[in-house]
Amino acid sequence: MLYVIYSEDVENSLAKRLSVREQHLARLSVLQDQGRLIVAGPCPILDSEDPGQAGFSGSLLVLEFDSLEQAQTWADADPYIAAGVYKSVTVKPFKKVMPV
């Protein structure tokens, strides 16, 4: 089943993000290689794909797991959490309707 993981950043999170970005992306690459990553990316603070030093307000992931518990466990182990990037993380089941 698919799961949405929506995370909200603390203020001024850019330096923290950059400090563990490679570890964060490495975990996502494993899921991508397994065909379980549907979409992943940050939410820029500015209305721009490159917000520069303004940074990001959070992240959105849509990933495939066997259960909500597995999705939550995976989300809880994100390096961004250990680095203090996120102030909150929400994991919810997701039903894809479109595109078919």
Side-chain angles (χ1 to χ4, degrees):
M1 178 160 193
L2 298 179
Y3 295 88
V4 168
I5 301 174
Y6 180 74
S7 306
E8 291 188 63
D9 283 24
V10 299
E11 287 189 38
N12 302 311
S13 63
L14 186 58
K16 292 176 182 179
R17 274 180 169 268
L18 294 175
S19 73
V20 293
R21 184 171 188 266
E22 291 304 316
Q23 295 96 317
H24 172 77
L25 294 178
R27 295 178 76 233
L28 289 169
S29 291
V30 170
L31 294 179
Q32 181 177 0
D33 292 345
Q34 296 170 349
R36 297 169 46 201
L37 187 151
I38 308 307
V39 67
C43 302
I45 286 178
L46 304 176
D47 189 11
S48 171
E49 287 200 24
D50 182 5
Q53 291 302 307
F56 302 92
S57 63
S59 297
L60 173 73
L61 310 172
V62 179
L63 308 169
E64 185 178 347
F65 290 97
D66 291 333
S67 69
L68 178 58
E69 180 181 0
Q70 285 182 0
Q72 186 69 59
T73 298
W74 187 91
D76 290 344
D78 194 311
Y80 281 176
I81 292 175
V85 173
Y86 296 146
K87 67 179 174 183
S88 67
V89 177
T90 302
V91 180
K92 293 183 177 187
F94 178 74
K95 179 181 176 185
K96 180 182 170 192
V97 174
M98 294 180 86
V100 182

